[in-house]
Amino acid sequence: MTVLGHPRSWSCHCLPVLILLLGIGHGPRVEGVTHYKPGDPVILYVNKVGPYHNPQETYHYYQLPVCCPEKIRHKSLSLGEVLDGDRMAESLYEIRFRENVEKRILCHMQLSSAQVEQLRQAIEELYYFEFVVDDLPIRGFVGYMEESGFLPHSHKIGLWTHLDFHLEFHGDRIIFANVSVRDVKPHSLDGLRSDELLGLTHTYSVRWSETSVEHRSDRRRADDGGFFPRTLEIHWLSIINSMVLVFLLVGFVAVILMRVLRNDLARYNLDEETSSGGSSDDFDQGDNGWKIIHTDVFRFPPCRGLLCAVLGVGAQFLALGTGIIVMALLGMFNVHRHGAINSAAILLYALTCCISGYVSSHFYRQIGGERWVWNIILTTSLFSVPFFLTWSVVNSVHWANGSTQALPVTTILLLLTVWLLVGFPLTVIGGIFGKNNASPFDAPCRTKNIAREIPPQPWYKSTVIHMTVGGFLPFSAISVELYYIFATVWGREQYTLYGILFFVFAILLSVGACISIALTYFQLSGEDYRWWWRSVLSVGSTGLFIFLYSVFYYARRSNMSGAVQTVEFFGYSLLTGYVFFLMLGTISFFSSLKFIRYIYVNLKMD
């Protein structure tokens, strides 16, 4: 099924074309754009069906034995709609603007026993359908299931063969659309023999009513979100808990900087003055703590190319996450429907590739890296390769099960083109600018050629303990908010509290920076100068806690099941944890680097 045109080649006009193709302008039509005259046809598109508790497991509506036209005509969709699993096709419903219809016949059907069993399984799995009329989604359940009693046990399955459509208009615009089976009796699917055909007659009614509401966004009625929950309530307890944690951590770091460091600097600088007449070797033998490793603390780490790639991609995702939240706050796209955020995320990812190239190449050249071409390739592959491998597995499972979440070939080619024509070139361009603008590494202390021996460290200063502490504290700051985010992404909630999300995002970054500084100080105090990778891993381990929470959410907080939903959930949860590792590891590293430079600049040395 072709839903998107072929992408154009790279040119100076590529960005506007990509924006158009990605669907920022092709997303859900702005409310009130379509104007009708009395009697004008209103097209109703059938879209998808799927289990209510598995949001990412969706199938085309016409895969069920339902009323279907002889020739299926699909609607062209934007990229965001395709990524959202939409596959809209014209239906047999005849609806005209402001013309009521009373129990009109849609079609007559003769269902075989296999088709009846297919419907029974769909109803037992709580399949819902989604139609779209004038870009307004309307949803309902395919059938009715009643299960009651233990002795005697009853299990009844019924199919809705009549739908009541209720549409509201204001002037020449459609404001609201809904479907109901309130006064309808389901057609029983029980008690059929294997060789018996089931005759069905599908009907529908259309009722129009005028409303005083002029805009769709102004409509505030209880039945607007009757099928799916519309919004999440503000959770003040989570916010207060996070604020208290941030204040405690900031205060803790401030105490380190103002009290402990002041005492350290006073003691170290006094020792420097009193022992100035002695040799430097005697001084080193009588000294201890973080001052004694001043000739090793800026010794460049192993695998410096990989470290710079992590920092570059982490900086890119920091910019990407901030940009998405700010766009949502400014209302730049419709955040409620049809994958507008997906389109924005793809476009921003492609455009922010220059940040990853610049940061990675700039720092790589600063710390003495020479193979900058290899560094650029590693940077551009650090996320794209794991993402492609994960997506390949998930998409293959969707494709094997006939799900609409499996992307068409044209969509895959478009995404690949965006990466090849925008993402990768911008990474290279950013890398070239970063390499050319790199200055020598700013190290307050001179590094000796021979590395100092690191004394044995107590167990509570090990990498595992630092990762546990450094990952758990930032995770605890967002754990409550994380439930609402998971309920939005993997459930039926609709997240609209973007101001709170921006606040929590800032809290997460602040906590990560403070924890990194504290753990780095404790590590240096133990005369362990291997802080480069430790600072990345300590707070970056928050991504591991987020993945563990996703396992808990799947098992205890959701009703998801089946191979399709399970593979997608855990595949993308792994990627989510990986992205948080990159982002928080980057924040942690640069916070530690800033802190270390600060303390050694203020240290008096010969």
Side-chain angles (χ1 to χ4, degrees):
M1 178 180 62
T2 301
V3 295
L4 291 170
H6 296 285
R8 296 184 181 180
S9 60
W10 176 263
S11 69
C12 61
H13 300 291
C14 187
L15 181 56
V17 173
L18 286 172
I19 293 176
L20 189 64
L21 288 174
L22 288 173
I24 302 298
H26 279 191
R29 194 177 298 141
V30 179
E31 54 179 296
V33 168
T34 305
H35 301 270
Y36 298 94
K37 297 179 181 179
D40 283 353
V42 178
I43 300 178
L44 185 145
Y45 294 98
V46 298
N47 191 12
K48 54 190 176 183
V49 295
Y52 184 86
H53 297 297
N54 289 357
Q56 276 65 45
E57 183 180 353
T58 55
Y59 306 95
H60 198 283
Y61 180 75
Y62 286 144
Q63 289 182 242
L64 291 178
V66 293
C67 295
C68 177
E70 294 182 1
K71 182 180 180 180
I72 300 177
R73 296 178 10 178
H74 291 95
K75 178 186 178 184
S76 77
L77 304 175
S78 69
L79 177 62
E81 292 170 328
V82 175
L83 295 177
D84 203 37
D86 291 342
R87 302 294 186 270
M88 300 183 198
E90 294 184 6
S91 68
L92 293 175
Y93 294 97
E94 295 182 5
I95 301 176
R96 295 189 176 274
F97 189 65
R98 300 178 63 171
E99 289 187 4
N100 293 331
V101 174
E102 197 63 37
K103 206 164 186 179
R104 177 180 294 174
I105 295 178
L106 184 66
C107 73
H108 300 282
M109 299 188 68
Q110 293 288 331
L111 300 182
S112 64
S113 59
Q115 291 175 319
V116 173
E117 182 61 26
Q118 184 181 359
L119 286 173
R120 285 179 57 87
Q121 291 181 0
I123 296 171
E124 288 178 343
E125 293 180 15
L126 295 180
Y127 267 48
Y128 73 97
F129 63 83
E130 179 180 284
F131 297 161
V132 178
V133 54
D134 195 26
D135 283 332
L136 290 171
I138 50 180
R139 304 178 180 95
F141 286 104
V142 172
Y144 168 82
M145 181 175 64
E146 179 181 346
E147 195 162 4
S148 61
F150 180 71
L151 287 174
H153 175 71
S154 62
H155 183 76
K156 299 179 181 179
I157 299 293
L159 176 69
W160 300 117
T161 56
H162 178 83
L163 297 178
D164 286 323
F165 294 98
H166 175 214
L167 297 99
E168 295 183 2
F169 65 93
H170 180 87
D172 57 359
R173 297 165 298 172
I174 300 176
I175 303 299
F176 173 72
N178 192 20
V179 64
S180 173
V181 291
R182 184 176 302 172
D183 301 323
V184 181
K185 184 177 180 180
H187 193 287
S188 177
L189 300 181
D190 298 320
L192 296 175
R193 299 193 304 270
S194 59
D195 58 345
E196 184 180 359
L197 294 178
L198 176 63
L200 295 176
T201 300
H202 287 270
T203 58
Y204 67 98
S205 300
V206 180
R207 295 181 178 86
W208 292 87
S209 60
E210 189 168 8
T211 178
S212 59
V213 178
E214 297 184 5
H215 303 284
R216 294 175 182 177
S217 59
D218 295 337
R219 199 178 191 282
R220 295 290 184 269
R221 278 175 42 176
D223 58 347
D224 282 1
F227 194 77
F228 291 157
R230 285 189 60 85
T231 56
L232 296 167
E233 296 180 357
I234 298 177
H235 22 280
W236 295 110
L237 183 61
S238 169
I239 299 172
I240 294 173
N241 173 67
S242 300
M243 289 180 61
V244 171
L245 180 59
V246 168
F247 289 147
L248 289 176
L249 287 174
V250 171
F252 180 62
V253 173
V255 167
I256 291 179
L257 294 177
M258 297 178 63
R259 298 287 299 275
V260 180
L261 280 180
R262 181 183 299 174
N263 294 336
D264 287 349
L265 289 171
R267 177 167 56 88
Y268 289 156
N269 291 333
L270 180 62
D271 292 342
E272 173 73 17
E273 295 175 358
T274 56
S275 59
S276 57
S279 64
S280 59
D281 292 339
D282 294 338
F283 169 74
D284 284 345
Q285 293 176 0
D287 203 3
N288 56 53
W290 54 266
K291 180 182 179 180
I292 199 175
I293 59 173
H294 67 277
T295 57
D296 295 282
V297 72
F298 292 105
R299 187 179 304 280
F300 297 147
C303 304
R304 66 184 73 179
L306 178 60
L307 175 64
C308 295
V310 168
L311 300 179
V313 179
Q316 177 187 0
F317 277 105
L318 284 171
L320 175 62
T322 305
I324 289 293
I325 298 175
V326 170
M327 289 178 68
L329 283 173
L330 297 177
M332 296 181 64
F333 43 74
N334 189 335
V335 297
H336 298 289
R337 299 173 43 243
H338 292 309
I341 291 185
N342 294 336
S343 299
I346 291 173
L347 180 61
L348 283 180
Y349 174 79
L351 296 179
T352 54
C353 283
C354 59
I355 297 177
S356 64
Y358 181 87
V359 173
S360 176
S361 182
H362 183 82
F363 196 72
Y364 183 68
R365 179 52 65 93
Q366 279 190 329
I367 61 177
E370 298 294 337
R371 303 172 60 189
W372 72 273
V373 176
W374 168 249
N375 174 250
I376 292 297
I377 297 176
L378 182 61
T379 301
T380 195
S381 304
L382 194 64
F383 175 77
S384 59
V385 171
F387 175 81
F388 177 77
L389 294 177
T390 304
W391 170 84
S392 299
V393 174
V394 173
N395 199 68
S396 299
V397 173
H398 282 300
W399 178 80
N401 288 272
S403 172
T404 59
Q405 298 288 339
L407 298 184
V409 176
T410 49
T411 304
I412 298 174
L413 292 177
L414 173 62
L415 295 176
L416 183 61
T417 302
V418 171
W419 186 79
L420 289 176
L421 298 185
V422 181
F424 182 72
L426 286 180
T427 306
V428 176
I429 294 173
I432 294 175
F433 275 97
K435 174 181 71 72
N436 295 336
N437 294 334
S439 56
F441 184 76
D442 181 18
C445 306
R446 187 173 59 253
T447 302
K448 288 185 177 181
N449 294 329
I450 301 176
R452 182 184 181 87
E453 183 179 357
I454 300 174
Q457 299 294 311
W459 65 270
Y460 54 84
K461 289 188 178 181
S462 63
T463 303
V464 175
I465 298 301
H466 276 205
M467 290 178 63
T468 303
V469 175
F472 178 75
L473 289 177
F475 169 77
S476 64
I478 63 169
S479 58
V480 177
E481 190 70 22
L482 205 59
Y483 166 78
Y484 295 96
I485 296 175
F486 269 70
T488 301
V489 177
W490 302 107
R492 298 301 185 183
E493 302 284 356
Q494 292 186 355
Y495 198 98
T496 56
L497 306 175
Y498 291 100
I500 294 179
L501 182 60
F502 185 81
F503 179 74
V504 172
F505 186 65
I507 287 177
L508 175 64
L509 301 184
S510 302
V511 172
C514 293
I515 288 296
S516 174
I517 292 174
L519 293 178
T520 299
Y521 174 79
F522 292 144
Q523 181 182 359
L524 298 182
S525 297
E527 302 178 11
D528 186 356
Y529 51 83
R530 299 168 300 181
W531 64 272
W532 299 76
W533 277 109
R534 178 77 68 86
S535 64
V536 175
L537 296 175
S538 60
V539 180
S541 61
T542 305
L544 176 61
F545 283 90
I546 291 176
F547 176 75
L548 294 177
Y549 177 82
S550 70
V551 177
F552 167 78
Y553 180 86
Y554 181 88
R556 298 294 184 181
R557 292 290 184 264
S558 74
N559 295 311
M560 293 183 285
S561 61
V564 175
Q565 183 68 40
T566 302
V567 170
E568 175 154 351
F569 178 85
F570 285 107
Y572 289 131
S573 293
L574 273 173
L575 282 179
T576 302
Y578 180 53
V579 168
F580 272 90
F581 164 77
L582 296 173
M583 288 196 304
L584 296 178
T586 301
I587 285 290
S588 175
F589 176 84
F590 284 113
S591 300
S592 296
L593 178 61
K594 188 74 174 178
F595 169 74
I596 291 174
R597 280 175 172 163
Y598 169 80
I599 62 176
Y600 282 99
V601 161
N602 290 276
L603 188 65
K604 293 181 180 180
M605 291 172 292
D606 291 337

